[in-house]
Amino acid sequence: MSTDSLRQSAILGQALEDELVIDAHMHINRYHNFFMPSAEITDLIANAKRLGIKRLFASSMLAIRNDAIAGNQEVLDAHHNYPGLFEPYLVVKPNYPDEILAILELSSKFSIRQFKLHDDANGYPYDHKNYFPLYEYCN
């Protein structure tokens, strides 16, 4: 598809049916710093389908903010409800090292290989020892 055709499709609000469009960085739920008029998973899925997005990779703002266990469960539920379309990033927070092994078990159980690390939100540098279980698992 030419650049002009892509532009015209966007102007007309047409889905990009003949293109492979992947959203590799999205979030579900709200966060006070981001304008997200509709962060519910059903709305995100509907918008993705309307635009012709074929795959979505997302993490949970709840997991990034403060509750990795509940937030990761949200993205796993979305993965279950929208197979082939929705792929989760599991959030690992070094602030809670006791939770990391449970998150890695979820990864193994559901064959999830994507992780979200967010240094600014955690206050731990990426070379902190609390990340090591994740790095060893990924290796």
Side-chain angles (χ1 to χ4, degrees):
M1 188 176 260
S2 73
T3 303
D4 288 338
S5 297
L6 289 171
R7 183 175 187 275
Q8 188 64 23
S9 292
I11 289 169
L12 295 174
Q14 297 172 335
L16 301 174
E17 296 301 335
D18 296 330
E19 299 295 323
L20 175 60
V21 181
I22 299 171
D23 184 339
H25 185 175
M26 66 174 284
H27 301 97
I28 60 174
N29 278 319
R30 298 188 187 283
Y31 183 65
H32 71 90
N33 260 4
F34 299 144
F35 175 68
M36 296 173 67
S38 182
E40 300 301 319
I41 188 63
T42 53
D43 295 329
L44 295 170
I45 295 294
N47 283 330
K49 288 181 178 180
R50 181 179 56 80
L51 296 170
I53 296 172
K54 306 292 190 284
R55 305 271 312 268
L56 306 164
F57 288 80
S59 57
S60 163
M61 294 306 292
L62 176 61
I64 293 169
R65 285 191 327 257
N66 62 356
D67 191 341
I69 299 299
N72 285 334
Q73 189 58 55
E74 287 178 332
V75 294
L76 288 171
D77 291 345
H79 177 62
H80 175 74
N81 292 332
Y82 302 97
L85 176 63
F86 188 94
E87 298 293 335
Y89 286 111
L90 296 178
V91 173
V92 175
K93 297 186 71 65
N95 314 63
Y96 307 100
D98 295 342
E99 294 179 355
I100 293 175
L101 291 179
I103 293 167
L104 298 180
E105 287 175 15
L106 286 175
S107 167
S108 180
K109 179 178 179 182
F110 296 104
S111 298
I112 306 302
R113 299 290 180 255
Q114 304 84 234
F115 296 95
K116 172 83 169 185
L117 306 179
H118 210 292
D119 186 41
D120 291 343
N122 298 325
Y124 284 74
Y126 291 121
D127 60 354
H128 191 276
K129 67 181 175 93
N130 288 2
Y131 282 112
F132 292 175
L134 171 65
Y135 296 155
E136 290 167 2
Y137 176 81
C138 290
N139 190 35

